[in-house]
Amino acid sequence: MKITGLKTNHLTNPLGYDIQTPTVSFRVEETAAKRPQAIRITVAEDADFEQVVYDSGERDDIRMAGERLPLSLRPRTRYYWKAEVRADNGEYAESETAWFETAKMEEPWEAQWIGSAALGESSPVLKKEFTTTEKVRRGRIYMTGLGLYELYLDGKRVGDEYLAPGCNDYRQWIQYQTYEVNLLPGAHRLEVYLADGWYKGRFGLDLAENVYGDHCMMLLEMILTEAKGQETKIVSDGTWMAAASDIMSSSIYDGEVYVPSTGERKWIPADVLEGPTEKLCARYGQPVCIRETRTPEILHTPAGETVLDMGQNMAGFVRFYVDEPRGTRIHMQFGEVLQEGNFYRDNLRTAKAEFTYVSDGIAKEVGPHFTYYGFRYVKVEGFTKELTPEQFTGCVLYSDLEQTGWLSTSNAKVNQLISNAFWGQKCNYVDVPTDCPQRDERMGWTADTQVFSATACFNMDSYNFLRKYCHDIYETQKELGHVTSVVPAFHEDGPTCSVWGDAATIIPWNLYLYYGDVSILEEQFESMQQWVDSIYEIDEATGGRRFWDVGFHFGDWLALDGEGGRYL
């Protein structure tokens, strides 16, 4: 008998997530037993379980699918836990050790929001140089940014996630992330690159800029614990320096222009800015990562274009090796289909979906930092040397979700349909469950999400991904008093209608059905109740007919026999 799949709040060894009440779960495999006779869960503050803070004792009422632990958690603390199972056939197993680590919780922030108003529209990079004299036993960085950020320590990227801190209604709440770092005694350098992202870039159906703010900024606390237990803090404040980065422009819809600097950067003091510290929350959503890679085929179209074919529609970007003379301009355009064998992208509407790189003459691997594309085909221009497929890597980008469902049949067409559903989920589960990954939309339409949510839970462990989206729904709902058609709302903040607003009730219910964790219903109960009450009030005001046919409704939005001329 073997215990596997140990998770806390549906996550494997979560670091710095929003954990108010830990719920642990696990599986039992490789046994002929029918059911557990007794289960025991032990939690400690050390990996050797000498500082035990909870011991359930052997009990027959513990649920493997989710057992809440009655712990009073402390901030910035790692807790270790293990499970023991005694089966009805006499078999016994003890699990390996799992852990979870809390974030700052209610601890006040000592850091200040910083950026650079003097740099105007440039994407800034902020740096702080410091020295450590003692060996660091434990290092953590707690940080967020408005809009997107990338963090580097001593020239090396910290973590492997993209598009942090994620897509939220930043007026209501902002996620911060936690990183584990190791430092030796000596001189060190922190660098944070910022870009517009969803916060201030061109986004939404009205293609507005500065939706939530007009200055990129970031907030950071590095807490270093020495061997003797003494803590040192490095925080974002007015002692940091700022400069324009190599990213000339960056946009979720339009892509990125990257021109490496060939001289020394001009550093100026960073500005301390007014930021929404009171809206900070430890992360809900899972990181957006490169989950798969693909090597393309190189096509030459009838129009004379050089096109990369990834063999599959995907969301992400292309990383490529370039060895070109200084000043060579590499230009890439991303699209989904070919028309008559030629590159085509009119369906992207106003989204430019491009990447431009101007070579500094140094051979290197290059790719965008703060954008992603929905594509299969990439038109490439500017290379002066013969291209090889191995020079390019298609980076498939989506939230860090574990596949949990598999299905295959004897029919190739049905199997292709199943594959399409998986790829649809991968392409659209990029922090927010979007309607499409390619054109100038990529928004969290509530109906699209609720219709697919059950399939999503079968395909992948989508609990925390959809929990974060439910939280997004409720934060916007609390502010506006109604559910919106798009979440986060951006400028689409009017009240929605049937099916779309039903996401507030259907998604939490599906999460409960698929995962058996009642906490999602407790978290979202007020949101669910408000939506049902709003429908009831509309009906009562229009005669109590229990038939909702007043006001605006999208109806069957994609009906093939519907009237034309709709905005699709």
Side-chain angles (χ1 to χ4, degrees):
M1 188 165 70
K2 185 178 181 180
I3 300 174
T4 65
L6 280 75
K7 293 187 176 183
T8 306
N9 290 26
H10 306 268
L11 294 162
T12 302
N13 297 339
L15 172 65
Y17 280 77
D18 177 73
I19 298 175
Q20 303 296 328
T21 301
T23 299
V24 298
S25 58
F26 55 91
R27 299 189 301 269
V28 174
E29 300 176 349
E30 301 178 15
T31 179
K34 300 297 183 183
R35 57 184 178 273
Q37 189 175 66
I39 296 175
R40 179 181 183 182
I41 295 173
T42 311
V43 185
E45 289 192 10
D46 66 302
D48 296 325
F49 287 84
E50 294 177 355
Q51 303 174 46
V52 173
V53 294
Y54 174 73
D55 186 343
S56 69
E58 287 199 354
R59 289 165 38 197
D60 61 4
D61 61 338
I62 290 178
R63 301 172 66 247
M64 291 188 298
E67 178 69 12
R68 295 188 189 186
L69 305 182
L71 293 174
S72 179
L73 300 178
R74 297 190 293 119
R76 297 188 289 111
T77 302
R78 178 166 293 191
Y79 294 89
Y80 300 84
W81 68 276
K82 61 183 178 180
E84 300 170 73
V85 176
R86 197 176 305 280
D88 60 352
N89 65 351
E91 290 186 72
Y92 168 83
E94 179 177 329
S95 73
E96 296 182 352
T97 300
W99 56 264
F100 63 92
E101 183 174 316
T102 55
K104 287 175 63 64
M105 301 184 75
E106 302 303 319
E107 260 190 356
W109 286 79
E110 297 181 27
Q112 297 174 293
W113 289 93
I114 60 173
S116 180
L119 293 175
E121 294 300 311
S122 299
S123 295
V125 55
L126 305 163
K127 77 169 182 178
K128 173 70 174 180
E129 296 176 339
F130 62 98
T131 301
T132 57
T133 57
E134 300 288 337
K135 184 177 180 180
V136 174
R137 175 170 58 86
R138 168 190 166 109
R140 297 291 184 272
I141 296 177
Y142 305 91
M143 76 164 299
T144 190
L146 296 171
L148 305 178
Y149 73 84
E150 279 187 1
L151 170 64
Y152 291 78
L153 175 61
D154 297 333
K156 296 182 180 180
R157 192 160 179 236
V158 178
D160 60 356
E161 67 180 288
Y162 289 80
L163 308 178
C167 181
N168 297 96
D169 186 338
Y170 304 103
R171 298 169 299 185
Q172 307 308 320
W173 72 300
I174 303 164
Q175 297 182 105
Y176 67 88
Q177 287 73 39
T178 303
Y179 302 96
E180 184 172 4
V181 293
N182 298 302
L183 290 89
L184 296 173
H188 301 283
R189 182 180 75 259
L190 280 169
E191 292 174 305
V192 178
Y193 291 78
L194 301 176
D196 294 355
W198 295 280
Y199 179 71
K200 66 181 291 289
R202 187 174 79 98
F203 198 80
L205 292 182
D206 59 2
L207 304 178
E209 295 184 2
N210 299 332
V211 176
Y212 293 108
D214 55 7
H215 281 98
C216 291
M217 62 182 85
M218 72 89 172
L219 187 79
L220 178 148
E221 287 188 1
M222 172 186 272
I223 303 179
L224 307 176
T225 306
E226 298 173 357
K228 297 179 180 178
Q230 182 177 349
E231 284 189 349
T232 300
K233 290 188 178 182
I234 308 293
V235 303
S236 53
D237 57 20
T239 65
W240 286 57
M241 303 298 288
S245 74
D246 297 338
I247 299 170
M248 300 295 102
S249 65
S250 180
S251 163
I252 297 293
Y253 290 159
D254 296 332
E256 202 163 284
V257 177
Y258 178 35
V259 182
S261 56
T262 55
E264 290 293 323
R265 286 197 173 103
K266 296 180 180 179
W267 294 97
I268 60 175
D271 295 323
V272 175
L273 304 172
E274 289 293 325
T277 307
E278 73 283 356
K279 301 182 186 301
L280 292 176
C281 176
R283 73 181 313 155
Y284 272 59
Q286 289 155 272
V288 175
C289 303
I290 297 173
R291 297 279 296 163
E292 305 173 37
T293 58
R294 301 182 71 86
T295 301
E297 177 185 356
I298 298 178
L299 309 177
H300 299 284
T301 72
E305 305 154 319
T306 299
V307 174
L308 309 178
D309 178 4
M310 293 295 161
Q312 169 67 54
N313 266 313
M314 54 177 273
F317 53 81
V318 171
R319 188 176 283 160
F320 59 96
Y321 179 79
V322 58
D323 183 8
E324 295 285 350
R326 181 174 173 177
T328 302
R329 181 179 181 273
I330 306 299
H331 184 227
M332 294 183 165
Q333 293 179 300
F334 295 77
E336 292 184 297
V337 296
L338 300 178
Q339 291 279 25
E340 299 180 352
N342 296 317
F343 186 72
Y344 176 85
R345 51 192 264 117
D346 289 354
N347 63 310
L348 302 191
R349 299 193 301 225
T350 71
K352 294 179 181 178
E354 300 176 336
F355 180 68
T356 300
Y357 172 72
V358 179
S359 175
D360 57 0
I362 301 174
K364 66 180 73 171
E365 190 176 60
V366 173
H369 293 259
F370 295 111
T371 190
Y372 76 101
Y373 313 90
F375 69 101
R376 172 175 173 174
Y377 301 98
V378 187
K379 185 171 78 170
V380 297
E381 300 172 297
F383 287 95
T384 65
K385 301 178 181 180
E386 184 177 355
L387 303 181
T388 65
E390 293 73 27
Q391 193 174 341
F392 302 91
T393 301
C395 300
V396 182
L397 202 69
Y398 56 95
S399 290
D400 190 18
L401 305 178
E402 174 192 0
Q403 183 173 343
T404 52
W406 290 264
L407 179 64
S408 62
T409 75
S410 59
N411 188 303
K413 291 184 178 180
V414 172
N415 290 340
Q416 184 62 59
L417 180 62
I418 295 167
S419 174
N420 292 349
F422 270 100
W423 276 101
Q425 184 169 357
K426 294 175 184 179
C427 290
N428 286 293
Y429 272 31
V430 180
D431 194 62
V432 172
T434 59
D435 60 324
C436 59
Q438 81 291 48
R439 64 188 183 188
D440 56 359
E441 196 162 342
R442 313 187 204 183
M443 302 176 73
W445 287 94
T446 46
D448 303 45
T449 311
Q450 68 94 345
V451 166
F452 188 73
S453 59
T455 301
C457 294
F458 176 85
N459 288 345
M460 301 178 181
D461 188 343
S462 301
Y463 184 91
N464 278 282
F465 180 87
L466 291 174
R467 175 184 178 239
K468 184 260 183 185
Y469 187 69
C470 288
H471 189 75
D472 276 318
I473 290 175
Y474 191 32
E475 288 295 326
T476 301
Q477 187 182 13
K478 284 191 293 187
E479 169 69 13
L480 300 176
H482 56 252
V483 178
T484 54
S485 296
V486 171
V487 174
F490 295 95
H491 286 311
E492 306 299 311
D493 56 5
T496 190
C497 57
S498 61
V499 182
W500 273 250
D502 294 341
T505 54
I506 291 176
I507 297 176
W509 184 248
N510 278 341
L511 288 176
Y512 170 67
L513 290 180
Y514 273 79
Y515 299 101
D517 188 346
V518 73
S519 62
I520 187 64
L521 300 181
E522 295 173 344
E523 289 179 9
Q524 295 298 128
F525 181 77
E526 290 184 7
S527 171
M528 299 166 78
Q529 185 178 42
Q530 284 182 22
W531 171 243
V532 173
D533 286 348
S534 69
I535 299 173
Y536 178 78
E537 290 168 4
I538 291 171
D539 184 63
E540 286 294 293
T542 54
R545 295 174 296 122
R546 302 300 184 259
F547 186 73
W548 193 7
D549 62 350
V550 298
F552 171 80
H553 294 272
F554 285 102
D556 191 351
W557 184 244
L558 297 178
L560 297 179
D561 58 352
E563 296 180 4
R566 294 172 299 177
Y567 184 75
L568 294 176

